[in-house]
mmCIF file of all heavy atoms in Angstrom:
data_model
loop_
_atom_site.group_PDB
_atom_site.id
_atom_site.type_symbol
_atom_site.label_atom_id
_atom_site.label_comp_id
_atom_site.label_asym_id
_atom_site.label_seq_id
_atom_site.Cartn_x
_atom_site.Cartn_y
_atom_site.Cartn_z
ATOM 1 N N HIS A 83 257.791 -148.916 -223.910
ATOM 2 C CA HIS A 83 258.433 -147.749 -224.511
ATOM 3 C C HIS A 83 259.611 -148.112 -225.398
ATOM 4 O O HIS A 83 260.344 -149.061 -225.107
ATOM 5 C CB HIS A 83 258.945 -146.804 -223.403
ATOM 6 C CG HIS A 83 257.891 -146.400 -222.430
ATOM 7 N ND1 HIS A 83 257.598 -147.145 -221.292
ATOM 8 C CD2 HIS A 83 257.044 -145.351 -222.431
ATOM 9 C CE1 HIS A 83 256.608 -146.549 -220.639
ATOM 10 N NE2 HIS A 83 256.260 -145.468 -221.306
ATOM 11 N N VAL A 84 259.795 -147.306 -226.450
ATOM 12 C CA VAL A 84 260.991 -147.404 -227.290
ATOM 13 C C VAL A 84 261.607 -146.004 -227.379
ATOM 14 O O VAL A 84 260.965 -145.015 -227.007
ATOM 15 C CB VAL A 84 260.669 -147.936 -228.716
ATOM 16 C CG1 VAL A 84 260.168 -149.365 -228.654
ATOM 17 C CG2 VAL A 84 259.652 -147.037 -229.429
ATOM 18 N N GLY A 85 262.841 -145.909 -227.850
ATOM 19 C CA GLY A 85 263.463 -144.599 -228.047
ATOM 20 C C GLY A 85 262.727 -143.821 -229.127
ATOM 21 O O GLY A 85 262.118 -144.415 -230.026
ATOM 22 N N ALA A 86 262.789 -142.502 -229.038
ATOM 23 C CA ALA A 86 262.041 -141.654 -229.977
ATOM 24 C C ALA A 86 262.381 -141.959 -231.435
ATOM 25 O O ALA A 86 261.515 -141.915 -232.307
ATOM 26 C CB ALA A 86 262.323 -140.193 -229.666
ATOM 27 N N LYS A 87 263.645 -142.304 -231.708
ATOM 28 C CA LYS A 87 264.071 -142.529 -233.103
ATOM 29 C C LYS A 87 264.053 -144.004 -233.487
ATOM 30 O O LYS A 87 264.528 -144.390 -234.555
ATOM 31 C CB LYS A 87 265.477 -141.956 -233.305
ATOM 32 C CG LYS A 87 265.497 -140.430 -233.161
ATOM 33 C CD LYS A 87 266.891 -139.868 -233.293
ATOM 34 C CE LYS A 87 266.844 -138.338 -233.152
ATOM 35 N NZ LYS A 87 268.182 -137.780 -232.924
ATOM 36 N N SER A 88 263.511 -144.847 -232.611
ATOM 37 C CA SER A 88 263.470 -146.288 -232.880
ATOM 38 C C SER A 88 262.635 -146.591 -234.130
ATOM 39 O O SER A 88 261.676 -145.875 -234.445
ATOM 40 C CB SER A 88 262.865 -146.997 -231.667
ATOM 41 O OG SER A 88 262.465 -148.297 -232.003
ATOM 42 N N LEU A 136 265.514 -145.488 -214.329
ATOM 43 C CA LEU A 136 264.916 -144.779 -215.467
ATOM 44 C C LEU A 136 265.972 -144.025 -216.287
ATOM 45 O O LEU A 136 265.912 -144.014 -217.521
ATOM 46 C CB LEU A 136 263.842 -143.819 -214.931
ATOM 47 C CG LEU A 136 262.762 -143.302 -215.877
ATOM 48 C CD1 LEU A 136 262.141 -144.405 -216.704
ATOM 49 C CD2 LEU A 136 261.685 -142.556 -215.094
ATOM 50 N N ASP A 137 266.938 -143.404 -215.602
ATOM 51 C CA ASP A 137 268.004 -142.692 -216.328
ATOM 52 C C ASP A 137 268.795 -143.655 -217.214
ATOM 53 O O ASP A 137 269.158 -143.321 -218.348
ATOM 54 C CB ASP A 137 268.972 -142.010 -215.345
ATOM 55 C CG ASP A 137 268.326 -140.836 -214.621
ATOM 56 O OD1 ASP A 137 267.316 -140.318 -215.139
ATOM 57 O OD2 ASP A 137 268.818 -140.452 -213.544
ATOM 58 N N GLY A 138 269.043 -144.853 -216.671
ATOM 59 C CA GLY A 138 269.742 -145.875 -217.445
ATOM 60 C C GLY A 138 268.955 -146.279 -218.678
ATOM 61 O O GLY A 138 269.520 -146.531 -219.753
ATOM 62 N N ALA A 139 267.626 -146.319 -218.531
ATOM 63 C CA ALA A 139 266.763 -146.683 -219.660
ATOM 64 C C ALA A 139 266.828 -145.617 -220.751
ATOM 65 O O ALA A 139 266.859 -145.935 -221.945
ATOM 66 C CB ALA A 139 265.328 -146.858 -219.191
ATOM 67 N N VAL A 140 266.849 -144.347 -220.348
ATOM 68 C CA VAL A 140 266.928 -143.247 -221.322
ATOM 69 C C VAL A 140 268.209 -143.393 -222.151
ATOM 70 O O VAL A 140 268.175 -143.352 -223.386
ATOM 71 C CB VAL A 140 266.895 -141.873 -220.606
ATOM 72 C CG1 VAL A 140 267.222 -140.745 -221.585
ATOM 73 C CG2 VAL A 140 265.521 -141.636 -219.978
ATOM 74 N N THR A 141 269.326 -143.611 -221.473
ATOM 75 C CA THR A 141 270.618 -143.771 -222.167
ATOM 76 C C THR A 141 270.587 -144.971 -223.113
ATOM 77 O O THR A 141 270.959 -144.877 -224.291
ATOM 78 C CB THR A 141 271.752 -143.966 -221.124
ATOM 79 O OG1 THR A 141 271.722 -142.867 -220.215
ATOM 80 C CG2 THR A 141 273.109 -144.032 -221.781
ATOM 81 N N THR A 142 270.110 -146.103 -222.584
ATOM 82 C CA THR A 142 270.144 -147.355 -223.338
ATOM 83 C C THR A 142 269.246 -147.310 -224.579
ATOM 84 O O THR A 142 269.651 -147.751 -225.661
ATOM 85 C CB THR A 142 269.687 -148.511 -222.418
ATOM 86 O OG1 THR A 142 270.456 -148.457 -221.219
ATOM 87 C CG2 THR A 142 269.906 -149.858 -223.043
ATOM 88 N N LEU A 143 268.033 -146.776 -224.418
ATOM 89 C CA LEU A 143 267.113 -146.722 -225.560
ATOM 90 C C LEU A 143 267.557 -145.674 -226.581
ATOM 91 O O LEU A 143 267.371 -145.855 -227.782
ATOM 92 C CB LEU A 143 265.671 -146.431 -225.094
ATOM 93 C CG LEU A 143 264.773 -147.664 -224.965
ATOM 94 C CD1 LEU A 143 265.372 -148.718 -224.057
ATOM 95 C CD2 LEU A 143 263.383 -147.284 -224.465
ATOM 96 N N THR A 144 268.150 -144.586 -226.094
ATOM 97 C CA THR A 144 268.622 -143.536 -227.005
ATOM 98 C C THR A 144 269.824 -144.032 -227.810
ATOM 99 O O THR A 144 269.932 -143.776 -229.011
ATOM 100 C CB THR A 144 268.983 -142.254 -226.218
ATOM 101 O OG1 THR A 144 267.837 -141.855 -225.451
ATOM 102 C CG2 THR A 144 269.372 -141.122 -227.141
ATOM 103 N N GLU A 145 270.703 -144.773 -227.123
ATOM 104 C CA GLU A 145 271.910 -145.273 -227.815
ATOM 105 C C GLU A 145 271.652 -146.560 -228.597
ATOM 106 O O GLU A 145 272.493 -146.988 -229.391
ATOM 107 C CB GLU A 145 273.035 -145.508 -226.792
ATOM 108 C CG GLU A 145 273.552 -144.214 -226.181
ATOM 109 C CD GLU A 145 274.568 -144.443 -225.072
ATOM 110 O OE1 GLU A 145 274.804 -145.628 -224.703
ATOM 111 O OE2 GLU A 145 275.113 -143.445 -224.568
ATOM 112 N N ASP A 149 266.195 -152.331 -226.900
ATOM 113 C CA ASP A 149 265.160 -151.892 -227.843
ATOM 114 C C ASP A 149 263.892 -151.341 -227.188
ATOM 115 O O ASP A 149 263.264 -150.433 -227.717
ATOM 116 C CB ASP A 149 264.785 -153.062 -228.761
ATOM 117 C CG ASP A 149 265.985 -153.554 -229.551
ATOM 118 O OD1 ASP A 149 266.599 -152.726 -230.250
ATOM 119 O OD2 ASP A 149 266.324 -154.753 -229.438
ATOM 120 N N PHE A 151 261.550 -150.781 -223.219
ATOM 121 C CA PHE A 151 261.617 -150.678 -221.761
ATOM 122 C C PHE A 151 260.202 -150.580 -221.213
ATOM 123 O O PHE A 151 259.414 -149.747 -221.662
ATOM 124 C CB PHE A 151 262.418 -149.428 -221.376
ATOM 125 C CG PHE A 151 262.522 -149.168 -219.894
ATOM 126 C CD1 PHE A 151 263.079 -150.105 -219.041
ATOM 127 C CD2 PHE A 151 262.070 -147.966 -219.360
ATOM 128 C CE1 PHE A 151 263.199 -149.850 -217.675
ATOM 129 C CE2 PHE A 151 262.186 -147.702 -217.992
ATOM 130 C CZ PHE A 151 262.747 -148.645 -217.157
ATOM 131 N N THR A 158 256.441 -142.489 -216.568
ATOM 132 C CA THR A 158 257.241 -142.362 -217.788
ATOM 133 C C THR A 158 256.638 -141.352 -218.763
ATOM 134 O O THR A 158 257.289 -140.939 -219.718
ATOM 135 C CB THR A 158 257.349 -143.747 -218.472
ATOM 136 O OG1 THR A 158 257.348 -144.766 -217.474
ATOM 137 C CG2 THR A 158 258.634 -143.899 -219.246
ATOM 138 N N LYS A 159 255.403 -140.926 -218.494
ATOM 139 C CA LYS A 159 254.694 -140.032 -219.426
ATOM 140 C C LYS A 159 255.468 -138.739 -219.731
ATOM 141 O O LYS A 159 255.506 -138.300 -220.881
ATOM 142 C CB LYS A 159 253.297 -139.734 -218.858
ATOM 143 C CG LYS A 159 252.437 -138.779 -219.695
ATOM 144 C CD LYS A 159 251.908 -139.431 -220.952
ATOM 145 C CE LYS A 159 250.787 -138.663 -221.639
ATOM 146 N NZ LYS A 159 250.775 -137.227 -221.586
ATOM 147 N N PRO A 160 256.100 -138.091 -218.727
ATOM 148 C CA PRO A 160 256.863 -136.866 -219.063
ATOM 149 C C PRO A 160 257.957 -137.110 -220.108
ATOM 150 O O PRO A 160 258.230 -136.240 -220.933
ATOM 151 C CB PRO A 160 257.473 -136.448 -217.716
ATOM 152 C CG PRO A 160 256.518 -136.982 -216.690
ATOM 153 C CD PRO A 160 256.042 -138.290 -217.261
ATOM 154 N N LEU A 161 258.561 -138.312 -220.103
ATOM 155 C CA LEU A 161 259.590 -138.633 -221.104
ATOM 156 C C LEU A 161 258.964 -138.818 -222.491
ATOM 157 O O LEU A 161 259.591 -138.523 -223.510
ATOM 158 C CB LEU A 161 260.351 -139.895 -220.698
ATOM 159 C CG LEU A 161 261.224 -139.776 -219.445
ATOM 160 C CD1 LEU A 161 261.734 -141.144 -219.010
ATOM 161 C CD2 LEU A 161 262.394 -138.831 -219.686
ATOM 162 N N VAL A 162 257.711 -139.306 -222.501
ATOM 163 C CA VAL A 162 256.976 -139.432 -223.771
ATOM 164 C C VAL A 162 256.604 -138.033 -224.268
ATOM 165 O O VAL A 162 256.786 -137.703 -225.445
ATOM 166 C CB VAL A 162 255.717 -140.318 -223.592
ATOM 167 C CG1 VAL A 162 254.874 -140.338 -224.865
ATOM 168 C CG2 VAL A 162 256.116 -141.742 -223.193
ATOM 169 N N ASP A 163 256.122 -137.190 -223.336
ATOM 170 C CA ASP A 163 255.738 -135.817 -223.702
ATOM 171 C C ASP A 163 256.923 -135.021 -224.259
ATOM 172 O O ASP A 163 256.773 -134.198 -225.147
ATOM 173 C CB ASP A 163 255.174 -135.069 -222.485
ATOM 174 C CG ASP A 163 253.820 -135.623 -222.035
ATOM 175 O OD1 ASP A 163 253.179 -136.334 -222.843
ATOM 176 O OD2 ASP A 163 253.410 -135.361 -220.890
ATOM 177 N N LYS A 164 258.121 -135.285 -223.702
ATOM 178 C CA LYS A 164 259.323 -134.546 -224.148
ATOM 179 C C LYS A 164 259.910 -135.116 -225.438
ATOM 180 O O LYS A 164 260.893 -134.591 -225.962
ATOM 181 C CB LYS A 164 260.402 -134.607 -223.055
ATOM 182 C CG LYS A 164 260.117 -133.713 -221.857
ATOM 183 C CD LYS A 164 261.185 -133.920 -220.793
ATOM 184 C CE LYS A 164 260.804 -133.222 -219.503
ATOM 185 N NZ LYS A 164 261.544 -133.777 -218.349
ATOM 186 N N GLY A 165 259.345 -136.240 -225.913
ATOM 187 C CA GLY A 165 259.863 -136.825 -227.151
ATOM 188 C C GLY A 165 261.138 -137.631 -226.965
ATOM 189 O O GLY A 165 261.895 -137.836 -227.915
ATOM 190 N N ILE A 166 261.385 -138.098 -225.723
ATOM 191 C CA ILE A 166 262.563 -138.942 -225.465
ATOM 192 C C ILE A 166 262.203 -140.412 -225.709
ATOM 193 O O ILE A 166 262.964 -141.170 -226.292
ATOM 194 C CB ILE A 166 263.070 -138.722 -224.021
ATOM 195 C CG1 ILE A 166 263.557 -137.275 -223.863
ATOM 196 C CG2 ILE A 166 264.186 -139.713 -223.661
ATOM 197 C CD1 ILE A 166 263.799 -136.835 -222.441
ATOM 198 N N PHE A 167 261.011 -140.796 -225.254
ATOM 199 C CA PHE A 167 260.462 -142.143 -225.497
ATOM 200 C C PHE A 167 259.229 -142.020 -226.384
ATOM 201 O O PHE A 167 258.552 -140.989 -226.394
ATOM 202 C CB PHE A 167 259.995 -142.796 -224.185
ATOM 203 C CG PHE A 167 261.095 -143.309 -223.283
ATOM 204 C CD1 PHE A 167 260.775 -143.723 -221.984
ATOM 205 C CD2 PHE A 167 262.409 -143.396 -223.693
ATOM 206 C CE1 PHE A 167 261.755 -144.209 -221.133
ATOM 207 C CE2 PHE A 167 263.407 -143.882 -222.847
ATOM 208 C CZ PHE A 167 263.073 -144.289 -221.558
ATOM 209 N N ARG A 168 258.920 -143.107 -227.073
ATOM 210 C CA ARG A 168 257.595 -143.289 -227.678
ATOM 211 C C ARG A 168 256.952 -144.478 -226.987
ATOM 212 O O ARG A 168 257.623 -145.491 -226.771
ATOM 213 C CB ARG A 168 257.708 -143.600 -229.180
ATOM 214 C CG ARG A 168 257.714 -142.363 -230.073
ATOM 215 C CD ARG A 168 257.619 -142.717 -231.545
ATOM 216 N NE ARG A 168 258.727 -143.528 -232.020
ATOM 217 C CZ ARG A 168 258.610 -144.778 -232.448
ATOM 218 N NH1 ARG A 168 257.438 -145.411 -232.460
ATOM 219 N NH2 ARG A 168 259.676 -145.442 -232.879
ATOM 220 N N ARG A 169 255.681 -144.396 -226.654
ATOM 221 C CA ARG A 169 254.990 -145.528 -226.028
ATOM 222 C C ARG A 169 254.181 -146.263 -227.096
ATOM 223 O O ARG A 169 253.357 -145.665 -227.775
ATOM 224 C CB ARG A 169 254.072 -145.049 -224.888
ATOM 225 C CG ARG A 169 253.450 -146.212 -224.115
ATOM 226 C CD ARG A 169 252.645 -145.769 -222.898
ATOM 227 N NE ARG A 169 251.612 -144.840 -223.262
ATOM 228 C CZ ARG A 169 251.597 -143.548 -222.932
ATOM 229 N NH1 ARG A 169 252.565 -143.038 -222.213
ATOM 230 N NH2 ARG A 169 250.621 -142.764 -223.326
#
Side-chain angles (χ1 to χ4, degrees):
H83 305 88
V84 295
K87 294 177 180 165
S88 164
L136 200 47
D137 290 339
V140 170
T141 305
T142 308
L143 262 55
T144 304
E145 292 174 355
D149 300 304
F151 178 59
T158 328
K159 178 74 166 33
L161 293 170
V162 174
D163 291 342
K164 286 176 189 160
I166 296 167
F167 285 170
R168 271 188 299 114
R169 186 174 56 249

